[in-house]
Amino acid sequence: MEAASIPAGPPASQRIKQLIGTYGLTAVLLIMPVWFAITDLSDDGNLVRLGENLVAGLSNGAIWALVAIGYTLVYGIVELINFAHGEIFMIGSFISASLIGTLGLTVDSSFLPVFFGLVVALVVAMVGAGTLNVLIERVAYRPLRSAPKLAPLITAVGMSFILQNVGLLWKGGNQQGVPDLLDAQHTLVTIFGVTIENADVLSVAVTIPLLIVMTTFINRSRLGKAMRATAQDPEAARLMGINVDTTISMTFLIGGMLAGAAGLIYAVYQTTIWFFQGFTGGLIAFTAAVMGGIGNLRGAVLGGLIIGFIQQMSDNRIGSQWTPAIVFAYLVLIMVFKPSGLLGEQTRDAG
């Protein structure tokens, strides 16, 4: 009688890689905060410095998360890396700064004009950036939808350079100051010695409601369901009566609007803007989307926050010249041991 064959399990190297991908990456991500916590307790006897790093990292990460969601939304629908998205973020900052100047808002303006002026600037920046993103999709990407993948990718890079030059012509090559309308560095409250400034509250207060509205819209609205159906299978969605072209345009609109909102927050938070911020910011946000899992909305938010924390701790403790290297070292580690990202890439093959 022939012995029953026992199916072979995965090789030991694969099992080790899976364990590292599940638990090791979490440990690696915790190395910096844990090490600095031990150092702070040893040197200062408290965790105030680390707390301030985390608060500032949360504020920066919230901006990157908004931009990263635009990348991941578009990729989830059309599987295109929209490299022009960083420049949409830059245009959002430029629109905001120009409108602030047009409305005559200065550091001496009282609370009500500043509040309503920023609300108007937020709406205009979101609408302007969203509309521009839709136009780019209609003119540059839609005609290439059935073309080889390389064609729309190169087109996206070309649109990025075009928008960079638009920004250069608009505001010049030097950094432009934005009035510090919120007294960004003013301490609003101190909790256990950790100071929370006006800029920190602005970043989180704008980002969280936008994320909640967007998530609710995608999960519950008819158009949101159409977006998810199109992401799953465009041809099946078309057969079910969904207007795929309109759905894709709305995806670009939402992504652009979030980038415009991030542009306003960045301008008021940093109080400086320049034409090259879209390239650097877009690269960081794209890294966040890949780190969390491209096509995964929660992954984009997680990646943005992680990069915000890493940047702040590195800038404050190690040196800003090392920050890009540290961020991308983390990205390489994650890609090696978990290529789909921390929360997993959303693919059309997934159910």
Side-chain angles (χ1 to χ4, degrees):
M1 182 176 177
E2 193 173 319
S5 61
I6 300 175
S13 60
Q14 185 176 342
R15 292 198 300 269
I16 292 173
K17 188 174 180 180
Q18 289 173 348
L19 286 173
I20 294 175
T22 304
Y23 303 106
L25 292 178
T26 302
V28 169
L29 290 171
L30 291 175
I31 286 176
M32 285 180 67
V34 170
W35 173 257
F36 291 139
I38 294 172
T39 303
D40 289 349
L41 288 173
S42 175
D43 296 343
D44 305 327
N46 58 59
L47 297 175
V48 171
R49 186 179 179 188
L50 178 62
E52 292 183 341
N53 290 159
L54 295 178
V55 169
L58 177 64
S59 303
N60 286 327
I63 297 174
W64 304 139
L66 283 178
V67 184
I69 286 174
Y71 280 106
T72 212
L73 276 174
V74 170
Y75 182 86
I77 295 289
V78 294
E79 294 187 345
L80 166 70
I81 303 300
N82 181 17
F83 283 113
H85 191 69
E87 276 59 48
I88 298 294
F89 158 68
M90 176 266 293
I91 294 294
S93 286
F94 280 22
I95 292 173
S96 303
S98 297
L99 195 57
I100 287 171
T102 301
L103 295 175
L105 300 177
T106 66
V107 293
D108 298 320
S109 300
S110 58
F111 172 76
L112 284 179
V114 168
F115 176 79
F116 288 108
L118 288 178
V119 170
V120 171
L122 176 65
V123 173
V124 174
M126 291 179 68
V127 172
T131 303
L132 178 60
N133 213 25
V134 171
L135 290 175
I136 291 173
E137 186 275 330
R138 183 66 184 87
V139 172
Y141 300 153
R142 187 177 298 183
L144 300 174
R145 201 170 291 163
S146 58
K149 292 290 185 182
L150 189 60
L153 188 66
I154 296 300
T155 302
V157 174
M159 290 304 305
S160 172
F161 281 109
I162 290 172
L163 292 178
Q164 266 190 40
N165 280 271
V166 169
L168 180 62
L169 290 171
W170 188 353
K171 294 290 185 180
N174 298 321
Q175 294 193 4
Q176 302 290 316
V178 178
D180 189 3
L181 300 176
L182 298 179
D183 192 9
Q185 305 304 316
H186 175 262
T187 299
L188 187 64
V189 65
T190 301
I191 302 174
F192 299 114
V194 177
T195 58
I196 298 176
E197 300 171 342
N198 292 348
D200 300 322
V201 175
L202 168 72
S203 180
V204 176
V206 174
T207 299
I208 291 178
L210 285 175
L211 292 179
I212 292 173
V213 170
M214 183 204 64
T215 303
T216 303
F217 174 81
I218 291 176
N219 289 333
R220 299 189 178 183
S221 72
R222 184 173 181 179
L223 183 57
K225 293 176 181 177
M227 288 170 60
R228 288 187 292 159
T230 303
Q232 193 71 28
D233 190 331
E235 292 306 317
R238 199 185 302 273
L239 291 173
M240 293 172 64
I242 295 173
N243 189 324
V244 173
D245 289 338
T246 300
T247 302
I248 292 174
S249 294
M250 287 302 299
T251 303
F252 274 83
L253 177 65
I254 294 172
M257 290 177 73
L258 293 177
L264 169 71
I265 298 171
Y266 182 92
V268 177
Y269 186 91
Q270 299 289 348
T271 66
T272 56
I273 57 172
W274 71 316
F275 79 100
F276 205 61
Q277 77 179 54
F279 176 80
T280 54
L283 185 60
I284 292 170
F286 175 60
T287 303
V290 173
M291 183 180 289
I294 191 74
N296 189 312
L297 295 178
R298 290 175 298 172
V301 175
L302 177 63
L305 295 178
I306 288 174
I307 288 181
F309 293 139
I310 293 173
Q311 282 184 313
Q312 191 58 34
M313 287 187 286
S314 177
D315 286 349
N316 186 255
R317 314 257 190 166
I318 301 172
S320 59
Q321 70 272 21
W322 290 101
T323 299
I326 293 172
V327 169
F328 281 97
Y330 271 102
L331 176 65
V332 170
L333 277 174
I334 291 171
M335 290 296 98
V336 167
F337 292 105
K338 200 165 184 182
S340 60
L342 291 172
L343 297 186
E345 176 183 346
Q346 180 177 310
T347 65
R348 288 177 178 170
D349 296 327

